[in-house]
Amino acid sequence: MKLLVINGPNINMVGIREPGIYGSESYQALLDLCQKTCDEHQVLVEFYQSNHEGALVDRIQEAYGKIDGIVINPAAYTHTSIAILDALKAVGIPTVEVHISKVESREAFRQISYPGLACFKTITGEGIQGYKHAIEILIEKLKEKES
């Protein structure tokens, strides 16, 4: 089983950017947590981060036929990107959306998630631990699909 963890714009700045909202743990800590979680479940994982919408779309398309499941934090593109939604729908790979902050309690413009429409689950407000939760839910779904 192989997973892909995709992070959108500014997620690489976690721990630096608005720690009151996103926490003080670094982006490397986020990656380490994901790697540890996958190792515990004996699952392979790849990571991808970009601040560019088209690059995110390209990486989703490249996953087709090679990746079993995706965890995605589209970040600011959550609220604007029909292109990411369409890419997720096109590849049909089981996907969990994750957000570090509790987006549903934030500004009005953050209340819609276009990519989330292609995801079977969304995790919000758990800090970087939400990634661990998202990976575990995705692994469970993929194991159900295998049996």
Side-chain angles (χ1 to χ4, degrees):
M1 185 181 302
K2 191 171 196 179
L3 305 184
L4 174 61
V5 176
I6 299 176
N7 285 294
N10 299 309
I11 300 301
N12 59 315
M13 300 299 285
V14 167
I16 298 167
R17 176 185 173 218
E18 300 178 275
I21 296 173
Y22 301 105
S24 58
E25 294 178 277
S26 69
Y27 182 62
Q28 188 60 54
L30 184 158
L31 297 178
D32 292 345
L33 174 65
C34 293
Q35 185 68 61
K36 181 180 178 205
T37 304
C38 288
D39 289 348
E40 289 170 357
H41 292 277
Q42 300 177 332
V43 170
L44 299 174
V45 64
E46 291 182 14
F47 301 102
Y48 186 77
Q49 188 277 328
S50 180
N51 296 317
H52 305 282
E53 183 180 28
L56 296 168
V57 169
D58 288 343
R59 186 61 190 100
I60 292 164
Q61 291 178 358
E62 290 165 7
Y64 183 74
K66 300 173 190 159
I67 297 293
D68 300 300
I70 297 173
V71 170
I72 188 168
N73 183 342
Y77 291 129
T78 300
H79 321 292
T80 63
S81 185
I82 295 169
I84 293 173
L85 165 63
D86 287 348
L88 290 170
K89 287 169 61 177
V91 298
I93 298 170
T95 303
V96 176
E97 178 184 34
V98 64
H99 295 283
I100 295 168
S101 70
K102 192 171 184 177
V103 290
E104 62 272 18
S105 298
R106 295 185 60 197
E107 302 94 336
F109 68 86
R110 296 189 194 272
Q111 300 310 304
I112 187 157
S113 170
Y114 290 107
L117 297 172
C119 299
F120 73 87
K121 182 79 173 169
T122 298
I123 307 295
T124 69
E126 297 181 13
I128 69 168
Q129 291 296 317
Y131 284 80
K132 176 180 173 65
H133 189 185
I135 288 167
E136 290 173 342
I137 288 169
L138 183 55
I139 290 169
E140 185 178 316
K141 174 88 166 180
L142 292 171
K143 285 182 178 178
E144 287 173 9
K145 189 176 167 185
E146 288 177 351
S147 54

